[in-house]
Amino acid sequence: MPSTLSEKDLELLGYSEITEVPLEDLPSEAWKFYEATTIAGVSKVTHKFAYLPSTATIQQARWLAKRVTADSDLYLVTPKSGIDSKTIHKVFGGDVNHSIFEDLIWERLDFLFSDYLAGLSDGISRERVYVQQRSETATNADDRLDRDVYNFLRGVSPGGKLHVISASAGVGKTTLARRVIKELAETYKRNKIIPTYVEASHWSKLQIDTIDDLWSVIQNSIGVFSRGLFIREDLFEHALRQGYIVFIFDGFDELCTQRHSRFVARDMLNQLLGLVEENNARIIITTRTLFWDSEIGETPLNTTIHLLRPFESTQAKDYFKKFFPNQQAEYSRAISIYRRLVQQSLRPREQGGGRAQFANLPICVGLIAQFVSDGGQLLDITEDGTLIEQFLLQILERECARQGLKTLAKIQLEALIDIAVYCAQEDRPDVESELLVASGFNETDILRLGSHPLINTKDGASFSFAYEFLQSYLLAIYLYRVLLSPYRENPTVSCLFAREANGKGFIIEHLVELLGDRDVPTIGTYFHELPRASALTKSFIFHILKALAETSTTTTSAKERTNYVFSALIADKIIEPRKISNLYITGTIDRFNLSGYNFIGCTFHDVNFLNCSANEETRFSACKFSGDLEFLDCRGSEWANIILDQDCILEPPTHLVWEGILGSSNGSKKDHVRDALLLALNKFWQHGRFKGSIRQEDWHKGTLGHSIYCEKLLREMLRQHLLSEVKIPGTAKGGYAFNRDALSDLQSFMDNRMVVGGIKRVFDALTE
C-alpha cells in the first residue's frame, strides 16, 4: 500500500479548496502541510493536515511540533511504517488528533463502497459445481489459476501490472472472473481492498461510441450493484493507482466488438496500461485468445498473459464427482458419455484435437451431468452430422422421454436455431411463449419447459437460452449449413454475415469447431457464387478461412497460412495463381505474407495490417482504402517497395497512412494537411460537442498517431496558441487544452471545413 498523503487523498476524504502550506526552516521531504475546507452541517470549516512520512525522524517531528498548534482543527497523519502513536502523542501532546494514513483512506473508501460491495457479493451467485481452473503453464494438478488471480489482486504479488486471462469462447473466463470477484467482495474487510467489476452483461445495451466512454462503462457497472454510489473518474483512478481499488474487466473482446462500439482494442489496452504504469494498480481483463492474437499480437510491457485451459479428463471427472457425490452409477455413466464424446472429437472432421473442442468445454461437461441426472443413459453418436448437433439432439430426446413432450427432439433443435437467428441482433434475448410455438414447439409443451436443459424460464411466459454461449453455437450450426450449401440470396443470412464481417465475434470461433480443411474448397465455391455487391459476406468468409488456417495442421508459417486462405479465393489458380480480385475486407489481417500477391479491385475498409510482410512484387491495382487504416508491426522497408497504382482510391485519411509507408504522397499536400487537421481537431470535437482537453497520450492515438503530420501539427498548434499544455488530474504526463478563444474557428472548420483564424495560421505554416 502507498504511504504518501496527497491532494487527491484529501479530495477522497471529502475536502475541497486544498492548499499546500510551506513551513519555513523545515526540510520539505520531512513533512507535508495542507489546509482544506469541508462542509459540517450548513457551515464551511477549515482543517489543517500535517503529514510526516515514514522517513521522518523524531527530531524532525519536534521541529514540526514547534511550528504548528495542536488544536482541534489540526490532524496529524502518519503511515503505519512511520513514527509510532505513543511517540507522536509524546511529541505533540496527548490531545493531538492523530490518524494512520492507510486507515484514514481505507475507512473513507469502505464507507463509499459498502452498499456496492454488499450488492456485488449478493448479486453474483456461486456455481452449483466449480472445478479449479488451470493455465496452460500449469505443471501439476494442484495449480489453480483462480487462486493465483485472487492473490495477485489482494497484493500478494507486486502491482503495476495488467493480467490477461485468455481462452477460447466458452472455456470459462467469466466463471473464473465471477468466482474471484465474489471472493474478493466477501473478504474485502480482511484484505482492505475494494474489488470493482465490469462484465459484458452490464454494458451490452449501452450505446458506446468512443474510447472516452470507458468511464461510462465502469460507472454503469457500478450502478448495477449500487445506484447510490458516486465517485469521480479521477478519484477512482487515483485509488486504483494507489492499490486500494482493484479492477476486473470481463469481456475486453466483447466491448471492442460491440455493433455500436467504436472502441479500438489497442487504444483501450493502452488506456488500461496507462493506469498500471509505475504505480500499484492491479487490473485483470478477460478476452478470447483469437481476438487478442489478432488485435494485439505481441504482449505489451507490464502485461502478463494467462492462457486458460479447456477441461481435461481429470477436471471433467472432478466435476462429475462433485455433481454426483454419492451416486457411483450416475458418476460412471457420465464419465462414459464424456469419454465417448472426446473420442468423437478426435475424428479427422474436427479441428485441433479433443482439448480444443466442444466436448471439453465446461458447458458440455455440465450438460452431460444434467443429462445423466435426468435419467439419461449412453449417447448414440454416429458419423453423420456435427458432434454438437448430435449431442444437443440426444439431450433433447432425453427431455422428450422424461417430460413426455409432444415436440420431437429434431423439431425442438430446429426451433431453437430459428429463434437464435430471429433474435440474432439481441444479446441474451428473452422470448415470449408465442415465439416458441411459432417456431415449432407444441403449445401443450410450453408449461413443461420449466426444467428444460436448454431453456430457462422465470414465469412460464418468458424464456431465454439456458447457457450464455448457446445462441452463438446455434447460429454457428445455421451458418455451417449455409456455407456448405449452394449460394441462395437470403437477407437474414446476409445480416448474420455482416454482424461479424470484421472477424472479431463469437460465431466464427464456434464455426471453426464445425468446419475443417475438407470444407475449404466448398467455402471457396460459395465465395465465387456471391454477387459482386456481397461485400460484408466476402469479409466474413475471409475471416473464416483465416481462423481455419490458424487451427490447421497443414500451416506452420505465414506464407502457408496466406496461401491456405487465398487459394480458396482465387478464381483461376492455374493461369493466375496469385491474383486476388473483388475481395472486400474489414478487420485485421495478421501474420500474412503478401509477397508476390496482386490485389485487383479489392476494398480494404477499417483494416489493420498486423505483423504482415510484403515485397516489391506486392501490388494493389484499382483498390479502395477507406476508414481507419493501420500498419502495425509491419517492416517498413518491405512495404516501402510495394506497388500502389495511381488508379487506387485512397479515401481520407488513408492516404496519410500510405504517405507514411511509401514516403511519397498520393494527392496534394494541402488536402493531406486539411485531413490531418480534421483528425487532430476531432479530438476536441466529439459528437458535435466541444471537448476542452485531452490526455497527452490520446494525441498519438488512431490514424493521426501514424501520420507524418502528428508531431508537426502538435508543435505548430502549440506555437500558434491553439493548444496549451495543462495538468490533468490522475495523469502523470498531463494533457493538451484547446484555446476557448478559438472555439468559433474550431466550429467553422468542423461544420463547414472553413479554415479561418488560428487554424488557418497552422494550415498555412504546414503547407508553405
Side-chain angles (χ1 to χ4, degrees), residues 59-120:
Q59 183 62 41
Q60 289 168 336
R62 289 173 179 154
W63 288 346
L64 181 63
K66 293 177 182 178
R67 288 161 175 78
V68 299
T69 303
D71 56 28
S72 59
D73 293 330
L74 174 69
Y75 292 86
L76 192 65
V77 183
T78 60
K80 287 181 179 179
S81 57
I83 300 172
D84 64 88
S85 181
K86 183 178 180 181
T87 302
I88 288 293
H89 282 88
K90 184 177 180 181
V91 171
F92 288 88
D95 295 333
V96 68
N97 297 315
H98 177 227
S99 299
I100 300 299
F101 167 69
E102 291 89 345
D103 293 342
L104 197 65
I105 302 301
W106 167 250
E107 288 169 6
R108 175 61 176 172
L109 288 170
D110 185 15
F111 171 77
L112 284 174
F113 282 88
S114 58
D115 288 344
Y116 170 79
L117 290 163
L120 191 63

Side-chain angles (χ1 to χ4, degrees), residues 174 177-178 197-206 208 217 220-221 224-225 248-258 286 427-428 468-469 506:
T174 295
R178 288 174 180 170
Y197 184 48
V198 169
E199 183 180 290
S201 63
H202 301 164
W203 45 255
S204 60
K205 298 186 186 305
L206 291 180
I208 303 164
V217 174
N220 180 71
S221 290
V224 169
F225 300 104
I248 292 185
F249 187 160
D250 180 39
F252 173 78
D253 54 311
E254 291 185 69
L255 179 60
C256 294
T257 56
Q258 271 221 108
T286 72
D427 295 306
R428 302 167 180 83
E468 190 171 319
F469 292 110
F506 287 96

Side-chain angles (χ1 to χ4, degrees), residues 612-614 631-642 660-663:
C612 290
S613 56
F631 293 85
L632 298 173
D633 302 329
C634 296
R635 287 190 289 273
S637 59
E638 294 179 345
W639 282 88
N641 296 318
I642 68 101
I661 293 292
L662 299 174

Side-chain angles (χ1 to χ4, degrees), residues 19-55:
T19 305
E20 186 170 355
V21 181
L23 294 177
E24 296 180 358
D25 302 326
L26 277 179
S28 59
E29 70 274 5
W31 53 268
K32 281 187 179 295
F33 195 85
Y34 297 100
E35 288 185 354
T37 63
T38 190
I39 301 298
V42 295
S43 302
K44 180 186 288 189
V45 297
T46 300
H47 289 157
K48 292 169 283 190
F49 294 86
Y51 175 74
L52 284 169
S54 57
T55 55

